[in-house]
Amino acid sequence: MSDVAREAGVSLVTVSRVINTPEQVAPATRAAVQAVVARLGYVPNLTAGSLATSRSRIVAAIVPTIANLVFSETIEALTQTLAEGGHQLLVGQSGYRAADEAALVETFLGRRVDGLVLTGCHQPPALRVRLRQAELPVVQTWDLPEPGGAPVLDMAVGFSNVAAGAAAAGHLLGRGHRLLGFLGADEDRSRLRLQGFQAAAAAQGAEVLTALLRPPATMAQAAQRLVEMVTRQPALSAVFCNNDLLATAVLFECLRQGWDVPRRLAILGFGDLPVAELAVPPLSTVRVRRGEIGTRAGQLLLARLGHGGDAATGALAATASRVDIGFELVVRGST
Amino acid sequence: MSDVAREAGVSLVTVSRVINTPEQVAPATRAAVQAVVARLGYVPNLTAGSLATSRSRIVAAIVPTIANLVFSETIEALTQTLAEGGHQLLVGQSGYRAADEAALVETFLGRRVDGLVLTGCHQPPALRVRLRQAELPVVQTWDLPEPGGAPVLDMAVGFSNVAAGAAAAGHLLGRGHRLLGFLGADEDRSRLRLQGFQAAAAAQGAEVLTALLRPPATMAQAAQRLVEMVTRQPALSAVFCNNDLLATAVLFECLRQGWDVPRRLAILGFGDLPVAELAVPPLSTVRVRRGEIGTRAGQLLLARLGHGGDAATGALAATASRVDIGFELVVRGST
DNA sequence: TTGAAAGCGCTAACAT
DNA sequence: ATGTTAGCGCTTTCAA
């Protein structure tokens, strides 16, 4: 920067202003400095800027894994939204392990990230305390705290997985099924859906067979567990798969076994991934707007970080800091 | 840090050493400092550290989109590998747009990232120059430069997409098909495969019908274009889909149309995603070890950044800086 | 084994 | 509209 200043015959601050607040610099001076910047190929050091302003323009997100369309679409939208606000995204993967999540948070705090996006709302107490005292904008995503549970840490975007599970059961019960299967990964959100699913089934005196797969749940596991379930309990007539990919695996397995879908076995998926609509028969599923979770999370953060916002806007954002994006039951041919 | 130093009765440097090179500090001092660190909940500011050392411990990666299993699995492995070496990953999405890619590179250069991972090896000349003069470790991934094309910028991990396309055609031709279909997104890697595919077909006097979908290619587009192709050219007996998801869409469409797979239409996929093996019939496909691309890219960077490496190791890494991970034709029931 | 001094490259606050 | 001064929080000499 001092090279540029010298060559342009101005001081350091002027160069700084040309880069950050060009409108504050006289057009002639600005043009001269910009010419030197271009000629020298000068790239401002954002690290130094961050140190001076104590704002990194970096946001971190922690997801269980990025190799799952469910999360990657959220991250895609988040990256996009943040980029529009001039922020970059640092990604961390917890692998569904709480210890890894805590370690990642620690690293990100060290980087002085401007905000943090977490997956889920069931952080261990120690981590909750840590985040509180860090006074860092935090958005919890994907689940929303259930009444009576731990409150929102700061901001949250998601929906009630318990309600989604209940809606899934409601649909299948409405179709006359009395023995339901539940196939999902053994992780937070899936268990919440199971909770709602079981409660709704129990309320109508129906039974639920459960298969929780070790995360990350694979399609092969799903197909195998399905066959086991049906073999052991031939009365099983409907299964709720906690992810459309698992549902697709189950659908193919039925094709292989010669089981008619939905007559022999009804299949309900989750997520409404592209495959759901195109499958034969098309999959009934619970639609969740994954991208919107990322977009809203990004917007909440940007608002908090004072993008085009005065105090009033900040206050507004604060009131709306718990966003329920809901879910939608999409009934197609598989149920 | 000065709070810690004062409380522990030592100087700043000592605290710094306890954090970065604890073995250089006397055990008693070390323990005392660590106790204060814990008590105060001190988190070292990595931004300040980066400024002082001019090493950010951040690597950036640019992919077309993260919401595609093809790339997200690479990113997953890369994140993992880098994390083991104490580096974090900043992600950027180009959306298949060269201008966005260049803008992202500029931002990342400003962050003084320690390394950069790019998708593809067909960067525009201006960007190539920029990267050269930045003297930044760069890994190009997914394609490897073809002989006669632009050389590797610095390091590369990938395979020959042209050869993969040729292998795909070779397989279908060997099955006796004379009129082949090609279904893929209109983007670099897909076009390279098309190139190899067409060349191999032409060499045996076979014809190729091409459908290039605007990226990101959707399953719905694929199903629709397939029907168009088959309707117009009933002699079409085999189609190479440039992604197993597109192949799955095509497979379902055949089921819907009542076209037997592989007898009426043979389907060859690309990638060997989990769905390929479980589909009915299981999809023949071209297997690419997506995770390994990320792992190897991460290893190349860490080696270059001097992890456990002396000059000799650095030299070794330099010689092996073009890694061909190959591909593998997996023949299953769909061809 | 520990410490003092001098930056890293930038920006905030206050001049002018 | 532009400049001066004083840091941001750490690490790197070099010295003790």
Side-chain angles (χ1 to χ4, degrees), chain A residues 191-249:
Chain A
R191 277 192 298 258
L192 288 168
R193 283 171 224 146
L194 173 58
Q195 196 180 308
F197 192 78
Q198 280 176 322
Q204 300 204 24
E207 250 190 284
V208 174
L209 295 178
T210 301
L212 285 180
L213 315 172
R214 201 172 44 149
T218 65
M219 295 179 76
Q221 275 180 303
Q224 189 202 325
R225 293 299 288 272
L226 172 85
V227 173
E228 287 173 19
M229 280 173 123
V230 174
T231 308
R232 256 183 240 167
Q233 302 269 351
L236 183 72
S237 64
V239 61
F240 175 37
C241 302
N242 258 262
N243 167 326
D244 284 339
L245 253 33
L246 302 183
T248 304

Side-chain angles (χ1 to χ4, degrees), chain B residues 11 13-14 17 25-26 29 51-52:
Chain B
S11 72
V13 244
T14 302
R17 287 195 186 106
V25 181
T29 321
L51 184 59

